[in-house]
Amino acid sequence: MIATAKQNLEVSITGLGVKVPDRVVTNDELSQYVDTSDEWIIERTGIRERRIAAPEEALSDLALPAARDALAQAGLEGKDIDLIIVATVTPDMAFPSTAALVADAIGATEAAAYDLSAGCTGFMYALAQGYGMLAGGLSQRTLVIGGDVLSKILDWTDRSTVVLFGDGAGAVILEAAPEKGFLGFELGADGAGGVHLWLPGSGSRRFDEPEKYVKMNGREVFKFATRVLVQSAEDLLAKCQVSIDDVDLYVPHQANVRIIDHATRKLGVPSERVVINVDRYGNTSSGSIPLALADAAADGRLRAGALVLMTGMGAGLTWGSALMRWTLAGVPQ
Ligand code: ACO
């Protein structure tokens, strides 16, 4: 799916909030649980540490503070929101949806609320859905949350996955805006590659023999990721008739610094325009892009007027890009 934003409709992000768990887990700590080392993890992934949720912490415990901060920055209250989409593969539970729990907690009594599953690409899918609901006139103010607590579905004896991931969430408010925000979206999925990154016992297929931990073919996912990060971005830029030279900020999914470096080189984005925080958070799945946006706002690179290219990729296998003119001034709380 690829399209430019409607000509006469200006939809943008008017609030941003993020939340990560307090607990920092370093590579050295991980090497106490599995046969790995700080040196290997840094060299192969660029990750130095990640945040890991407490045993009692679930997705909504991260999503809620992020949502509250996004609402505050937009100058809104929960009751003003009429749609909540939570992109995640680790909801508090299969049902009720985490979106419904968030709606209740923030007092969004008039809101439709549902969760969306698109692996690490979830936040990009949810942004596009939110845009579509606003463009179609069904929603006036949408709260989009991307977040995961992947630490709960990792096999903590499997060094091939446990070193890569972390927990975190981010939230944005989408509203009609005086200036154009979103310029276009490109989204895709390839179910044939789904077996390379999956949670086989999590649904109705293998109900009697639950395998409840993530399984991953790292090399296949690596090849897929390096390909789609570049392809999706190039397709969307061409569709929107925008040159990569005009992009002020490139915000790729934070999976592995080698994947990001590859995409950056191929696309020709100067390094000062690339947001990287995988070193501090690992791969937070659907939380990754909003966390990166918040960091770029904090370091002053995400300013009103900046042309921002975001691309996610992950389980499904899925990928997705959004191109937008950032219209929000200031730093998230
Ligand atoms: N510590 C130490 N050694 C390790 C570890 C580890 N954590 N993991 C693997 N190794 C070993 C392997 O056993 C192998 O040893 P061998 O040569 O004796 O066989 C060696 O290191 C090299 O392994 P490779 O798999 O070839 O390492 P590679 O350079 O491909 O890096 C990695 C592995 C980091 C997983 C990489 O393939 C990758 O990043 N893939 C993409 C993963 C990803 O991004 N997944 C998330 C997608 S988004 C989502 O939806 C969740």
Side-chain angles (χ1 to χ4, degrees), residues 27 38-50 163-164 222 254-261 276-283:
N27 294 342
D38 183 46
E39 192 188 6
W40 191 96
I41 300 171
I42 291 175
E43 190 193 312
R44 301 293 177 121
T45 72
I47 300 167
R48 292 175 184 275
E49 60 186 39
R50 70 285 295 144
V163 301
L164 300 177
F222 193 96
Q254 307 287 308
N256 181 325
V257 88
R258 285 161 53 211
I259 296 173
I260 297 173
D261 284 348
I276 298 181
N277 65 8
V278 68
D279 52 324
R280 286 181 293 126
Y281 296 128
N283 178 348

Side-chain angles (χ1 to χ4, degrees), residues 302-322:
L302 188 54
R303 291 184 298 270
L307 188 61
V308 182
L309 172 65
M310 306 171 240
T311 303
M313 47 75 193
L317 299 167
T318 54
W319 62 90
S321 293

Side-chain angles (χ1 to χ4, degrees), residues 34-37 40-41 44-45 89 118-121 150 158-165 197 214 216-225 253-256 258-259 283 285 313-318:
V34 291
D35 181 15
T36 191
S37 65
W40 191 96
I41 300 171
R44 301 293 177 121
T45 72
V89 293
C120 296
T121 319
L150 289 182
D158 177 3
R159 69 177 182 178
S160 73
T161 52
V162 84
V163 301
L164 300 177
F165 298 104
L197 181 52
V214 173
M216 186 181 73
N217 179 339
R219 287 182 195 180
E220 283 302 322
V221 177
F222 193 96
K223 280 191 270 177
F224 157 79
H253 173 49
Q254 307 287 308
N256 181 325
R258 285 161 53 211
I259 296 173
N283 178 348
S285 187
M313 47 75 193
L317 299 167
T318 54

Side-chain angles (χ1 to χ4, degrees), residues 60-71:
S60 64
D61 299 312
L62 303 178
L64 252 179
R68 289 198 170 110
D69 285 351
L71 284 167

